[in-house]
Amino acid sequence: MSSPRVLVLRALGLGDLLAGVPALRALRRGFPGHEIVLAAPACLAPVAEATGAVDRLLPASAPGRAVPRTLDWTGPPPAVAVDLHGNGPPSHRLLHALRPARLFAFAHPDTPDIEGPPWHRDEHERDRWCRLLTFYGLDADPADLRLPRPHTPSPAPGAVVLHPGAGAPARCWPVERYAAVAADLRDRGLRVVVTGGAHEADLVARLAKEARLPDTDVFSGGLPFHRLSAVIAGARAVVSGDTGVAHLAVAHATPTVTLFGPVPPSHWGPPPHPRHIALWHGPEGDPHARRPGPALLRITPDEVLDALHRLPAPEEPAP
């Protein structure tokens, strides 16, 4: 007889999945003997596996941050369906259509049959989903973020990683400022490497050209997760905007300097720790804008360099 299944909807990006790791692990502990099925983009299967909290990934995605129209669910209804995607009726109804025995979700006036907790706009993403599961009686720890160290060796151990891209132009610090940071670090004798996603080759190439980086220090085109994970885990530090690579660095205890705007670190920032510095001047702005937000543009290269100087050394990997 097959195991009962828990279906979790979080059909979003890398950073979203990593911010949801504490909630996924709470479900893993809370439903022993159940199969945990995560509905998320197929490309995140290696990430889901690395969390140790997911048994199977059900491919699901939609443009932007939209809710998928359907889920390719087969067999009996889920024992539990969990909405970690959002708080609106589209995700509620998508899961409700599968007739789960129980549905965990935030309350919304347009789905009054769901008796969940209220949604708080000004809440950190990790805390939000842990609070949801606590409401339903599960023990969830927002600090349960770490991923195991990758087996793949880093191709750039000890380098400072610059990641100029993000999911929206509003969160992309100008390339020439990253180049200024790179030039200063290289003058100090540090190795600097650049990483970029599958659709960020032009952005990475511009930065590499302005910073005069050799080809060996440029990793563009969207590295496979195991290789990207190795680069980040082996880095001296990671400098990026508010994007998935920043969350991956936190998961590997790699020191970070994260440049925030137009969304504040109180919503998506790293946990309080000396190895993570979040730069933020405000005010909040439009996260979907087509150009860098004013708050992001207030951050200067000198601030970034000063923050890097204040970071502690990376943790030694456990044997």
Side-chain angles (χ1 to χ4, degrees):
M1 185 176 180
S2 61
S3 301
R5 294 178 291 177
V6 175
L7 172 62
V8 185
L9 176 64
R10 194 157 178 81
L12 298 165
L14 173 62
D16 302 278
L17 176 51
L18 293 173
V21 165
L24 289 169
R25 288 181 174 156
L27 290 165
R28 174 80 288 166
R29 292 190 300 269
F31 292 97
H34 288 60
E35 182 186 22
I36 308 296
V37 181
L38 175 66
C43 62
L44 295 180
V47 192
E49 181 181 4
T51 69
V54 175
D55 297 306
R56 181 166 59 89
L57 186 134
L58 179 68
S61 62
R65 302 183 67 81
V67 176
R69 291 188 176 185
T70 61
L71 293 175
D72 189 18
W73 183 266
T74 58
V80 183
V82 185
D83 186 355
L84 297 187
H85 192 97
N87 74 318
S91 52
H92 293 176
R93 291 168 181 157
L94 177 66
L95 293 174
H96 191 269
L98 300 177
R99 297 181 291 110
R102 303 172 70 188
L103 175 56
F104 295 175
F106 281 104
H108 193 281
D110 291 339
T111 50
D113 51 322
I114 297 176
E115 296 181 0
W119 175 276
H120 298 156
R121 179 186 176 276
D122 291 319
E123 183 172 30
H124 197 284
E125 189 75 0
R126 293 188 300 271
D127 296 336
R128 169 178 291 125
W129 303 114
C130 287
R131 179 171 63 87
L132 171 69
L133 298 184
T134 299
F135 176 88
Y136 289 103
L138 276 67
D139 179 23
D141 177 8
D144 189 8
L145 289 166
R146 296 286 291 271
L147 292 181
R149 196 169 184 87
H151 297 296
T152 304
S154 171
V160 177
V161 175
L162 305 184
H163 188 89
R171 290 184 277 124
C172 292
W173 201 48
V175 163
E176 59 271 17
R177 300 192 192 185
Y178 276 108
V181 170
D184 188 281
L185 294 175
R186 296 186 77 204
D187 286 346
R188 299 184 200 183
L190 296 174
R191 185 179 181 184
V192 176
V193 302
V194 180
T195 58
H199 305 293
E200 295 170 347
D202 289 347
L203 185 65
V204 170
R206 284 176 53 209
L207 174 51
K209 181 179 180 180
E210 290 203 27
R212 298 182 179 179
L213 297 179
D215 291 345
T216 53
D217 292 343
V218 180
F219 300 95
S220 63
L223 292 174
F225 176 72
H226 71 280
R227 190 164 167 82
L228 175 64
S229 192
V231 171
I232 299 303
R236 178 189 182 100
V238 173
V239 180
S240 74
D242 171 20
T243 191
V245 161
H247 293 274
L248 184 58
V250 169
H252 285 312
T254 300
T256 62
V257 176
T258 309
L259 320 180
F260 278 88
V263 178
S266 58
H267 291 180
W268 284 93
H273 195 282
R275 67 173 168 259
H276 302 304
I277 297 178
L279 300 181
W280 162 252
H281 294 296
E284 289 189 49
D286 178 7
H288 308 294
R290 295 182 176 272
R291 59 185 61 188
L296 192 60
L297 294 177
R298 292 185 178 187
I299 300 171
T300 67
D302 284 344
E303 281 184 90
V304 174
L305 290 164
D306 177 69
L308 283 167
H309 181 71
R310 290 185 280 123
L311 288 175
E315 284 188 1
E316 289 295 324

